[in-house]
């Protein structure tokens, strides 16, 4: 049996780095794809050499990490970086099996003629979790070679989080690339003309809410986003949209549940894990309890708790904890809400929803929470005997800063007094004067018992949140962005 030779490996490296050739450009299809809005936040971290850190690009499967890496390479080339000083490795390729980072660097030197021990280079390791003890060796590269800028990515998000926390403290800058926000979704499809910037945004002052030129058309796109909008490949492919289960379930969800998590955490009963995730996905945006999940599944509470932690580490779900009417946390988190990090996963697991589907309110709430999950904001929901508020932001001293009630209906605009026992009561207790309630189509402000309730279509709120989070971070200095990504030692 023939062994893989050094010549084979070098040939593969040259194939993966087409910019070493005459045209000095990345290959198709990345060259033709529009960059995600997150690219403008990611690239400065790649380019800077003022801080000695490797950049670790994390995120769920198929959200565009490899494409973003290639867009970064193209930007480096445009900035005048010598082509052979940029090297990309698709580490999940079998030809690299068993090779260390040091060995890959040595092969780059052989393939390019660039001396990595003395010259400035950029090295990109795509799907780095396939390298054994990658976090230890990547930290060593950062410590040993100040002139090497290393960038790594990985789809096994649980592994990246777990291991970078253990061994990469102060040496890695973690960057999360989430599923598409509604803002990015419309931007990639060139449909932002459906909205109009608020006057305050055009004047460069405080960020207000966008306006819809045609709310029905915008809601049509929002429904499309709920079903298919989380993944760049899906929004451009009618074939995938016709059978989302084949792409999203088989290529994204199943690979995490059947391969990534079991291999990382030694999960023995994969069927149990799969059943739990399917249950949580169907009940996204609903309050659940460990006791109820345990009773219905026959699985011990501690086991379910571990499974939920694993699913959250893999960016499939997000747990939101409960506070009471006075915004006080509960000592025992027996009840909580679980949200899919991307509403289109539900459509892939079950079926796409229509405009009058009973699941729409829950998916709209899931989508709105998903926009906030991309930020560093920790959200809660409030629930007590006589009422509930869907979204509460706690500030200093755990006092509520704002509250949002998510609805997919206009009837509350016409009868705002129906919110008296829930949202209005919560605001009065916590001295909030202007909560927000999402609607289906109406934009209006109503006053109930001295509380001014702003109603805004859910699609507009969803778009504005995604826009403001990305644009807000773009206005930060590089040092501020590095601090968000993780402070150095």
């Amino acid at each position: 049996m023939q062994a893989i030779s050094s010549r084979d490996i070098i040939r593969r490296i040259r194939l993966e780095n087409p910019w070493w050739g005459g045209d000095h450009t990345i290959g198709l299809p990345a060259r033709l794809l529009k960059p995600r809005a997150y690219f403008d936040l990611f690239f400065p971290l790649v380019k800077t050499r003022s801080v000695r850190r490797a950049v670790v690009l994390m995120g769920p499967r198929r959200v565009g990490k490899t494409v973003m890496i290639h867009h970064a390479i193209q930007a480096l080339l445009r900035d005048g970086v010598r082509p052979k000083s940029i090297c990309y490795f698709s580490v999940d390729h079998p030809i690299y099996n068993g090779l260390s980072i040091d060995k890959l660097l040595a092969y780059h030197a052989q393939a390019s003629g660039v001396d990595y021990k003395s010259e400035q280079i950029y090295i990109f390791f795509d799907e780095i979790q396939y390298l054994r003890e990658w976090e230890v060796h990547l930290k060593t590269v950062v410590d040993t070679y100040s002139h090497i800028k290393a960038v790594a990515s990985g789809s096994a998000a649980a592994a990246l989080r777990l291991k970078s926390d253990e061994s990469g403290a102060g040496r890695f800058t973690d960057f999360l690339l989430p599923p598409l926000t509604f803002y990015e979704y419309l931007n990639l499809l060139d449909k932002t003309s459906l909205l109009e910037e608020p006057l305050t945004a055009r004047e460069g002052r405080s960020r207000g809410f966008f306006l819809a030129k045609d709310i029905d058309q915008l809601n049509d796109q929002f429904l499309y986003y709920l079903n298919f909008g989380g993944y760049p490949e899906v929004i451009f492919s009618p074939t995938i949209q016709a059978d989302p289960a084949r792409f999203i379930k088989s290529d994204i969800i199943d690979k995490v549940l059947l391969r990534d998590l079991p291999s990382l955490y030694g999960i023995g009963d994969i069927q149990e894990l799969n059943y739990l995730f399917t249950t949580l996905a169907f009940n996204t945006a609903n309050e659940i309890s460990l006791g109820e999940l345990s009773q219905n599944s026959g699985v011990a509470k501690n086991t379910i708790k571990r499974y939920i932690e694993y699913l959250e580490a893999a960016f499939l779900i997000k747990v939101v904890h409960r506070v009471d009417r006075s915004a006080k946390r509960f000592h025992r988190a027996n009840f909580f809400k679980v949200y899919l990090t991307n509403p289109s996963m539900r459509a892939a697991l079950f079926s796409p929803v229509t405009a009058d589907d009973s699941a729409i309110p829950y998916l709209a709430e899931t989508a709105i929470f998903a926009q906030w999950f991309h930020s560093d904001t920790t959200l809660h929901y409030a629930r007590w005997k006589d009422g509930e508020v869907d979204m509460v932001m706690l500030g200093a001293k755990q006092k509520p800063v704002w509250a949002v009630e998510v609805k997919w209906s206009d009837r509350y605009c016409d009868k705002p007094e129906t919110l008296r026992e829930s949202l209005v009561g919560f605001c009065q207790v916590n001295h909030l004067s202007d909560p927000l309630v999402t609607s289906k189509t109406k934009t209006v402000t109503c006053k109930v018992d001295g509380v001014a309730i702003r109603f805004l279509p859910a699609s507009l709120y969803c778009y504005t949140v995604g826009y403001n989070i990305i644009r807000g971070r773009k206005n930060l200095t590089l040092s501020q962005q590095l601090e968000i990504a993780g402070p150095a030692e």
Side-chain angles (χ1 to χ4, degrees):
M1 184 171 62
Q2 293 183 333
I4 297 174
S5 67
S6 297
R7 183 180 300 176
D8 294 322
I9 295 173
I10 290 172
R11 186 182 296 119
R12 177 67 196 179
I13 292 172
R14 288 173 176 162
L15 181 67
E16 290 184 339
N17 293 266
W19 49 90
W20 292 359
D23 58 358
H24 297 170
T25 188
I26 61 174
L28 297 174
R31 190 165 73 240
L32 300 178
L33 294 175
K34 188 175 182 179
R36 286 189 57 174
Y38 275 88
F39 177 77
D40 291 339
L41 300 174
F42 174 67
F43 183 62
L45 301 178
V46 172
K47 191 176 180 183
T48 183
R49 291 180 175 272
S50 59
V51 179
R52 285 178 64 174
R53 289 199 226 169
V55 180
V56 182
L57 177 61
M58 301 189 298
R61 290 180 175 273
R62 309 309 285 262
V63 294
K65 296 185 297 296
T66 298
V67 171
M68 184 171 283
I69 282 177
H70 281 87
H71 285 159
I73 291 170
Q74 187 67 71
L76 290 172
L77 293 168
R78 284 196 301 266
D79 287 348
V81 177
R82 187 170 57 149
K84 288 189 177 181
S85 295
I86 305 171
C87 187
Y88 168 86
F89 293 100
S90 181
V91 181
D92 59 338
H93 195 283
I95 203 168
Y96 301 125
N97 187 38
L99 297 182
S100 65
I101 287 180
D102 284 341
K103 194 65 177 175
L104 290 176
L105 288 172
Y107 274 123
H108 165 249
Q110 291 182 53
S112 65
V114 176
D115 183 4
Y116 72 92
K117 294 183 178 180
S118 61
E119 300 183 48
Q120 279 199 351
I121 61 172
Y122 292 85
I123 299 290
F124 294 85
F125 301 102
D126 201 5
E127 302 286 6
I128 197 171
Q129 74 274 1
Y130 286 91
L131 293 179
R132 184 174 300 175
E133 295 185 339
W134 66 267
E135 72 288 356
V136 176
H137 297 294
L138 188 61
K139 181 178 181 293
T140 300
V141 169
V142 174
D143 290 338
T144 306
Y145 303 110
S146 61
H147 51 278
I148 293 180
K149 186 56 183 279
V151 180
S153 80
S155 298
L160 291 170
R161 267 191 169 171
L162 176 71
K163 296 189 176 182
S164 65
D165 284 347
E166 289 177 353
S167 305
R171 294 298 179 268
F172 300 163
T173 294
D174 296 341
F175 187 95
L176 171 62
L177 184 65
L180 292 177
T181 62
F182 188 44
Y183 159 62
E184 287 185 292
Y185 160 82
L186 290 178
N187 187 46
L188 288 177
L189 290 178
D190 294 322
K191 293 185 180 293
T192 55
S193 59
L194 292 172
L195 299 107
E196 182 180 347
E197 286 190 4
L199 182 62
T200 52
R202 292 198 298 270
E203 292 176 346
R205 295 190 282 112
S206 62
R207 292 169 289 169
F209 291 104
F210 278 77
L211 309 173
K213 295 179 180 178
D214 186 324
I215 190 60
D216 291 328
Q217 285 189 34
L218 184 65
N219 281 346
D220 287 343
Q221 289 300 318
F222 187 58
L223 178 63
Y224 190 94
Y225 172 75
L226 296 180
N227 282 320
F228 311 113
Y231 305 99
E233 285 176 85
V234 179
I235 67 174
F236 292 112
S237 174
T239 302
I240 295 176
Q241 293 162 24
D243 186 10
R246 185 174 183 180
F247 174 82
I248 298 175
K249 185 179 183 301
S250 299
D251 201 29
I252 298 173
I253 298 171
D254 285 352
K255 284 185 179 178
V256 174
L257 295 178
L258 302 180
R259 186 171 73 181
D260 293 346
L261 291 181
S263 65
L264 290 168
Y265 295 106
I267 296 172
D269 197 332
I270 297 173
Q271 186 176 357
E272 247 179 24
L273 178 67
N274 189 53
Y275 172 79
L276 175 66
F277 176 70
T278 302
T279 300
L280 296 176
F282 190 77
N283 290 281
T284 183
N286 283 280
E287 186 179 58
I288 59 175
S289 71
L290 288 176
E292 185 180 8
L293 286 173
S294 177
Q295 185 176 1
N296 292 340
S297 65
V299 181
K301 289 182 184 179
N302 287 338
T303 301
I304 291 177
K305 189 175 181 180
R306 287 203 314 272
Y307 286 168
I308 289 175
E309 289 172 356
Y310 301 158
L311 294 170
E312 193 169 20
F315 301 119
L316 291 178
I317 64 171
K318 183 72 174 179
V319 173
V320 175
H321 293 289
R322 176 180 169 183
V323 296
D324 63 17
R325 192 169 187 251
S326 301
K328 299 292 190 297
R329 297 183 182 180
F330 290 86
H331 293 297
R332 298 182 65 183
N334 293 325
F335 292 88
F336 49 89
K337 284 188 176 184
V338 173
Y339 293 87
L340 292 170
T341 56
N342 170 18
S344 65
M345 281 193 283
R346 191 186 188 281
L349 285 168
F350 305 104
S351 62
V353 294
T354 57
D356 57 352
D357 197 295
S358 61
I360 289 287
Y362 300 104
L363 291 179
E365 185 175 334
T366 298
I368 287 173
F369 262 94
Q371 314 305 297
W372 282 105
F373 293 154
H374 305 169
S375 73
D376 298 307
T377 304
T378 300
L379 299 174
H380 296 78
Y381 74 101
R383 187 160 186 160
W384 59 100
K385 183 179 179 180
D386 301 318
E388 178 180 353
V389 177
D390 291 324
M391 190 179 300
V392 176
M393 164 65 177
L394 300 181
K397 299 180 180 180
Q398 299 302 300
K399 297 294 184 182
V401 177
W402 50 255
V404 174
E405 181 69 15
V406 180
K407 304 293 185 185
W408 181 251
S409 170
D410 290 332
R411 69 185 181 92
Y412 297 94
C413 306
D414 302 324
K415 295 184 178 181
E417 65 276 5
T418 58
L419 299 169
R420 180 174 281 117
E421 297 300 322
S422 53
L423 180 65
V424 174
F426 180 85
C427 290
Q428 289 174 329
V429 169
N430 295 284
H431 309 292
L432 296 177
S433 58
D434 60 343
L436 187 142
V437 178
T438 65
S439 63
K440 187 174 183 180
T441 65
K442 290 186 176 182
T443 301
V444 66
T445 299
C446 303
K447 210 160 195 177
V448 178
D449 298 342
V451 176
I453 305 174
R454 292 180 295 166
F455 290 91
L456 185 78
S459 54
L460 277 177
Y461 181 76
C462 204
Y463 181 91
T464 302
V465 170
Y467 176 92
N468 283 346
I469 288 172
I470 293 174
R471 295 296 170 181
R473 286 185 61 178
K474 283 183 180 180
N475 292 332
L476 298 177
T477 65
L478 180 59
S479 60
Q480 288 172 322
Q481 289 191 39
L482 286 167
E483 189 66 25
I484 289 175
E489 285 183 332

